[in-house]
Amino acid sequence: MGAEAGRAVITVADDVGAVGAERLLGALSGVEACVDEVVLCLSGGTSPNAVLDRLPAIPAGLRGRLRLTWTAERLVPYAGPWSTWDPAVHRRAAHERWLSRLGASVVTEEPLWTGEGSPEAALAAFERRWAALGSRIDVLLLGFGPDGHLASLFPGHPALAATGPAVLVTDAPKPPPARSSLTLPALSTAQRVVGLCTGAEKGAVLRRALAGDDALPLGRYVPRSVEWVVDRAAAGALEGS
């Protein structure tokens, strides 16, 4: 079932991963005919995993046109085949759960961090690629933490005020402390957002964010179009029960 909550649509699902995958493919199809390249941005962490597990092969109309980036990356070194990457690397989950099933490389990856060189140089390189992508996100698969952080933008952190496309975070309050992150202005370019929320704890956080609690980074983020796919525990917290 679905319900309106301010500017957001709330969909309650017994299987958040399956419904999230369906909504994500629908969002991608909605922009497919409008642009030459479709920019898909994935959250890191564990939030997107159930959706990635259920994503099928890329539709024919998107093959070779999909540009994939991430909301944030942990600055840990990695190189070689994806199966050897540190599990902390956000890109690894996308390869393990989705991209490795595609058979051929039909996606161009635009990571914030490639595991090599200095973080400053990587950030500058990403900013150039961001401009080449049209300084935009077409579709964003969004998760958030129980403290209300999104990407690697944490409550009370100076990075929340960054105005460029991406920012370095060297003192994150959870390990590893060094990260790169899209900024709130960059995240706000997303044309369509599919948000994921599971569990009563996160449901209570989402309720605060939707009420405009700017103590939460998520509460400061006002996307143009968002559908939150939530499980029943989160829905109960959203209703205050």
Side-chain angles (χ1 to χ4, degrees):
M1 67 177 182
E4 296 286 343
R7 297 173 55 146
V9 173
I10 307 295
T11 296
V12 183
D14 290 320
D15 188 334
V16 169
V19 174
E22 176 188 322
R23 296 300 196 270
L24 185 65
L25 287 173
L28 290 170
S29 298
V31 299
E32 178 183 329
C34 304
V35 291
D36 292 331
E37 294 181 322
V38 179
V39 182
L40 169 63
C41 185
L42 301 178
S43 280
T46 59
S47 293
N49 287 351
V51 171
L52 294 173
D53 285 341
R54 289 165 171 81
L55 282 176
I58 294 173
L62 282 172
R63 295 178 71 87
R65 297 172 52 210
L66 193 62
R67 306 292 284 262
L68 182 62
T69 192
W70 284 261
T71 61
E73 191 54 271
R74 298 158 178 163
L75 301 185
V76 294
Y78 65 98
W82 67 263
S83 58
T84 67
W85 295 351
D86 190 309
V89 176
H90 286 159
R91 292 177 67 198
R92 175 169 174 153
H95 280 267
E96 183 174 7
R97 295 175 177 273
W98 180 38
L99 298 178
S100 61
R101 292 189 277 112
L102 300 184
S105 179
V106 295
V107 174
T108 300
E109 294 180 55
E110 303 287 356
L112 281 77
W113 168 246
T114 61
E116 300 177 341
S118 73
E120 292 79 8
L123 191 66
F126 174 79
E127 289 178 347
R128 292 191 293 271
R129 297 198 306 276
W130 173 256
L133 290 172
S135 302
R136 77 182 197 280
I137 297 167
D138 293 309
V139 179
L140 169 60
L141 181 64
L142 182 64
F144 62 94
D147 60 353
H149 84 266
L150 70 163
S152 282
L153 304 174
F154 294 91
H157 197 280
L160 282 167
T163 57
V167 62
L168 291 178
V169 177
T170 59
D171 55 352
K174 58 186 296 186
R179 296 153 177 261
S180 55
S181 177
L182 293 183
T183 62
L184 284 178
L187 294 168
S188 295
T189 67
Q191 298 297 310
R192 298 186 66 179
V193 179
V194 178
L196 307 173
C197 180
T198 57
E201 182 182 20
K202 285 192 176 182
V205 172
L206 181 57
R207 183 183 185 189
R208 289 174 55 194
L210 292 175
D213 185 347
D214 65 5
L216 302 172
L218 186 64
R220 299 189 186 193
Y221 179 54
V222 184
R224 305 177 191 190
S225 172
V226 58
E227 178 176 3
W228 286 100
V229 182
V230 308
D231 64 9
R232 296 196 179 278
L238 280 168
E239 295 167 359
S241 61

